[in-house]
Amino acid sequence: MAESEQPLLLETENRNKHGVVVIGGGWTGLYALKYLLGEGLDAHLYESRSNIGGIWNFAENEAIGGVYKSAHATSSKTFLHASDFPFPSSVGEFPRHEEVLAYLHSYADHFKLWSNIHLNSKIVRVEPQWILTFDDGLKIVSCDYLVVCSGQHQIANDPRSTYPFNQFTGTFSHSIAYKSPYDNKFTNKRILVVGGGETGSDLAVELSATVAKTVYMSIREGQWFQSRILGQQPADVMYTMLMRIFGYYNNILVRCWRRMFFVPMWGIGGTGVREWAPTVPFLHGFINKSREVVDYIALDRVVPKRGIANIDRQLITFDKDENPVEVDHILLCTGYQWTHPFFPSSDIHDLYKLVFASGVSGTLAFVGTARPVFGSIPALAELQARWVAAVFSGRCHLPSEKVMTQRRRAYWTRHASLYPHDHKRLKQLVNLFEFTDVIGDELGARVNLFYLFFRHPSAWFRIYCASPWSPFLFRIGRLSSDDEKLAYQRHLACIPKKDQTFHRFNDVMLGAWLLILISLFFSSIFILMLLFFYFFT
C-alpha cells in the first residue's frame, strides 16, 4: 500500500457508525447488548479493560477498582440468575467473584455476544447526538442510540479532604482500592472502618480476623441488618410475593411482622447493637445483609461506634462517647459518586424511572441504575435492559416529555419521603417488588396472576404463596408456551428444600394471611348485622 494512502484509510477505519452503542462490559452491559441484538438492532459494546465482567473482573492493581480477592456476592443466587440463563447448580448460593466472572463469560458464549464486544476501548468523551471519542484521541464512533452501563461503583465518594477527616494525621484508604488484608497499612494497626454498607461489614470482619490489632466500625445514622443465612438457606429467599399483603413499606402489619419475627431473630435494627440502632423505619432504608460483623462484635474483635464527632490528629471521638480512641488507619467504605467522566454532567434526577434521560428524544438510557433495599442490582438491570431494547426497537413507547417530567417530579418527591436517610446518599434506592413490577408493566412481562388463579390455581398458589421472588417470574406470563413452562420450572427450582426454614416461616405467613382474611370476613358480617338491627328493628 502506498504511504500516501494510509492516513485516508486510518481516518475511515477510526470513524464508525452503529445503531446502538453500549458503554461498559460488566453484568449490566452484557444484558443490554444481548437484548438489543435480540431486537434485531445493530448494537456494539465498548469496554475499557481487556476483559468483560466490570467490577467482577478482579485485578491485583489497586489503581483498578472492583472486587477484592475474597469477595463474593452478598445476594443469593436466586436473585442473580438471568431470567433465561440460570447459574449452574454446581455454583454455591453466594458465588465467589471467579464464579461470577465465569458465568458472565458463559453468558456471552451462549448468546454469541463476542463479535459485538470491543475490549480495550475506553471512551473519554460523549457528545450529543451521539459522538464518542476514545482515549487514543483518534477513534470516533457515532450512533443513533446510547446505553450507559458503566455501573454504580466507578468513582469513589472520598471525604478525606473534608472536615473532620482532614484533621486526621494517620493514613487513609478507600475500599475501592482494597484487595487483600495482607498489606503493611493494615498489619498490626488500629483501624477505623467508616460506613454501614456490606463492603464495610465484610472488610471489618476480614481485617479483624487476620492482621488488624483492633477494628472500630463507625456508622453515622444507624443501619438495618439481616443475616445472610437462615439455617442452611439464604435469608433473602424469605421475601416471597405473599409478603405484599403486608405492604412494601412501614405500616401496622409490617411493624407487627418486625416485632414478632425480625427483632426476636436478629435484635433491634437486625443486630441488637445500640450504637447502630437505625433512625428510619424498616424497609425505608438499605438493608445490610453482611451481619457476620455482629459475631465479631461478640468476640470483641470489632468495636461498634456511632458517627464521628471530632478528630484531633489520631484521636477520634464518636457521638455520645466521652473518651477518644487512637487510630492508625481509616478505611473509608463511604460508597461511590453518581458520575460518568465521559459526560460533562449527569443527574440521576433527570432519568425517567431511573432509565431514560430527559430532553434527548428517548435516545439515551442508563441500565444498572437501581439499587434495591434487598435483592440484587443485576435482577433489576435485566428488566431495565429488556425495556430499553424494546423502546429502541419501537416495540414499546415512552410517554411525552411533559408527562415524563411530571412523573419524575412525583417520583422524587415520594422517594424523599420513603427514604429520608438515604435520599441523598443512595438516590438509586428502590423496593425490589415495586420497581420490578413497574418495569415489568412497561414491558408487559409481569406474570399474569389473575389468569393463573382461575386457569392454573396450583401454579398461582406456588408462585404467590409458596416460593421466593426470582427473575424467572418475568418469563412465566400465562404459563402457556414451552418457554413460559421452562421459566416456571426454573422458578420452582429456587424453592429451598422441605427441611429448610423457608417452609416453616412461610407457613406462619400463610397463617397470618388467613387470619387477616378471616378477621375481615367476620368483621364485615358483624358490621352488616349491626346495620341490619339498626335499620330493621
Side-chain angles (χ1 to χ4, degrees):
M1 181 183 298
E3 188 174 342
S4 59
E5 295 178 299
Q6 292 181 2
L8 179 60
L9 180 58
L10 285 172
E11 183 177 351
T12 303
E13 288 179 338
N14 288 337
R15 287 184 177 272
N16 297 322
K17 176 68 186 292
H18 302 309
V20 191
V21 165
V22 177
I23 300 177
W27 211 320
T28 60
L30 294 177
Y31 279 161
L33 179 63
K34 182 258 186 183
Y35 285 107
L36 289 164
L37 293 173
E39 293 286 346
L41 297 169
D42 171 34
H44 289 256
L45 182 153
Y46 288 89
E47 163 59 38
S48 63
R49 296 176 64 186
S50 60
N51 195 1
I52 62 170
I55 63 170
W56 295 97
N57 178 16
F58 173 74
E60 293 279 0
N61 186 351
E62 290 188 0
I64 300 174
V67 293
Y68 44 94
K69 187 171 290 187
S70 62
H72 51 79
T74 56
S75 293
S76 72
K77 192 167 63 174
T78 295
F79 288 82
L80 299 175
H81 296 295
S83 64
D84 54 356
F85 190 75
F87 267 83
S89 58
S90 58
V91 174
E93 288 293 351
F94 299 94
R96 301 186 308 275
H97 66 80
E98 306 97 318
E99 293 173 316
V100 172
L101 185 61
Y103 170 76
L104 296 179
H105 272 259
S106 63
Y107 184 89
D109 291 339
H110 180 77
F111 292 109
K112 299 178 172 59
L113 304 181
W114 289 106
S115 61
N116 293 73
I117 294 174
H118 307 268
L119 301 174
N120 298 308
S121 301
K122 183 177 182 179
I123 295 169
V124 295
R125 187 169 68 252
V126 174
E127 302 170 82
Q129 186 110 338
W130 297 105
I131 301 172
L132 290 63
T133 303
F134 291 77
D135 59 350
D136 60 7
L138 298 174
K139 188 175 181 180
I140 295 175
V141 168
S142 61
C143 58
D144 299 317
Y145 299 94
L146 182 63
V147 188
V148 178
C149 303
S150 52
Q152 302 180 22
H153 307 94
Q154 298 299 316
I155 307 298
N157 181 30
D158 193 332
R160 71 183 76 183
S161 62
T162 63
Y163 184 85
F165 294 101
N166 57 7
Q167 305 299 305
F168 185 63
T169 56
T171 57
F172 276 103
S173 64
H174 192 280
S175 59
I176 194 172
Y178 182 94
K179 300 298 177 181
S180 165
Y182 301 104
D183 189 300
N184 288 336
K185 60 178 171 281
F186 301 131
T187 303
N188 201 33
K189 296 295 194 299
R190 295 161 296 189
I191 300 170
L192 170 62
V193 175
V194 178
E198 290 164 345
T199 298
S201 302
D202 287 342
L203 298 191
V205 167
E206 181 164 276
L207 289 166
S208 65
T210 53
V211 299
K213 182 177 182 179
T214 306
V215 174
Y216 302 94
M217 184 171 172
S218 168
I219 302 178
R220 183 174 54 189
E221 295 184 40
Q223 178 67 52
W224 282 99
F225 284 77
Q226 75 165 40
S227 179
R228 194 174 293 164
I229 296 291
L230 277 178
Q232 291 182 316
Q233 66 168 54
D236 56 14
V237 301
M238 308 297 279
Y239 293 98
T240 66
M241 295 180 73
L242 176 64
M243 290 186 68
R244 297 174 187 212
I245 195 170
F246 296 99
Y248 293 124
Y249 302 104
N250 195 49
N251 57 43
I252 183 63
L253 295 175
V254 170
R255 288 196 291 271
C256 289
W257 175 84
R258 188 185 71 221
R259 286 288 182 184
M260 288 189 293
F261 303 107
F262 196 95
V263 172
M265 282 192 295
W266 293 316
I268 299 294
T271 63
V273 177
R274 60 184 178 85
E275 289 88 352
W276 293 349
T279 58
V280 297
F282 186 57
L283 299 179
H284 288 262
F286 175 71
I287 298 175
N288 185 329
K289 300 179 290 297
S290 296
R291 192 182 176 275
E292 292 87 345
V293 69
V294 179
D295 298 337
Y296 282 77
I297 292 172
L299 294 171
D300 202 29
R301 299 301 304 271
V302 176
V303 181
K305 293 292 183 180
R306 296 183 175 88
I308 295 171
N310 185 61
I311 297 178
D312 180 11
R313 298 178 66 81
Q314 288 184 233
L315 293 175
I316 300 181
T317 306
F318 299 91
D319 292 337
K320 299 184 180 180
D321 282 2
E322 294 182 0
N323 300 319
V325 298
E326 191 167 2
V327 169
D328 302 307
H329 183 84
I330 293 180
L331 175 56
L332 297 165
C333 299
T334 46
Y336 300 84
Q337 299 176 19
W338 172 265
T339 185
H340 303 87
F342 42 80
F343 278 127
S345 63
S346 60
D347 188 349
I348 194 172
H349 295 92
D350 290 335
L351 301 186
Y352 178 63
K353 298 188 177 180
L354 299 184
V355 178
F356 288 97
S358 62
V360 290
S361 304
T363 60
L364 172 61
F366 292 73
V367 172
T369 52
R371 180 174 182 174
V373 169
F374 63 88
S376 75
I377 293 173
L380 307 182
E382 187 187 16
L383 279 171
Q384 290 179 313
R386 290 173 66 180
W387 185 29
V388 168
V391 169
F392 285 179
S393 69
R395 192 163 55 84
C396 291
H397 302 279
L398 297 175
S400 68
E401 193 70 38
K402 180 179 179 181
V403 171
M404 287 194 290
T405 299
Q406 292 171 344
R407 291 178 181 174
R408 277 199 311 271
R409 289 171 180 168
Y411 174 85
W412 289 113
T413 299
R414 181 171 180 261
H415 192 273
S417 64
L418 288 175
Y419 306 111
H421 170 52
D422 291 317
H423 177 62
K424 293 183 178 179
R425 185 174 67 97
L426 285 174
K427 301 181 182 73
Q428 63 272 45
L429 199 63
V430 299
N431 181 286
L432 178 134
F433 285 155
E434 187 176 51
F435 188 80
T436 53
D437 281 353
V438 166
I439 306 300
D441 282 339
E442 294 286 351
L443 280 165
R446 280 180 69 181
V447 57
N448 195 323
L449 289 171
F450 183 80
Y451 177 87
L452 293 181
F453 181 81
F454 292 100
R455 296 297 299 271
H456 304 284
S458 62
W460 174 88
F461 179 81
R462 285 186 173 186
I463 290 170
Y464 195 79
C465 303
S467 61
W469 184 97
S470 83
F472 306 120
L473 289 170
F474 295 88
R475 295 278 180 185
I476 292 173
R478 292 189 168 201
L479 201 54
S480 54
S481 70
D482 289 342
D483 286 342
E484 290 173 342
K485 292 174 182 176
L486 176 60
Y488 177 62
Q489 293 303 318
R490 287 170 169 171
H491 175 73
L492 295 184
C494 296
I495 301 175
K497 295 178 181 179
K498 284 291 185 183
D499 60 347
Q500 292 302 306
T501 310
F502 171 85
H503 298 281
R504 309 290 81 76
F505 183 84
N506 202 54
D507 288 344
V508 174
M509 290 293 103
L510 281 170
W513 188 22
L514 291 173
L515 183 62
I516 290 170
L517 292 177
I518 292 169
S519 299
L520 290 173
F521 174 77
F522 282 108
S523 297
S524 300
I525 295 295
F526 181 71
I527 292 171
L528 288 174
M529 290 176 63
L530 288 177
L531 291 173
F532 177 82
F533 283 114
Y534 180 80
F535 287 107
F536 298 103
T537 58

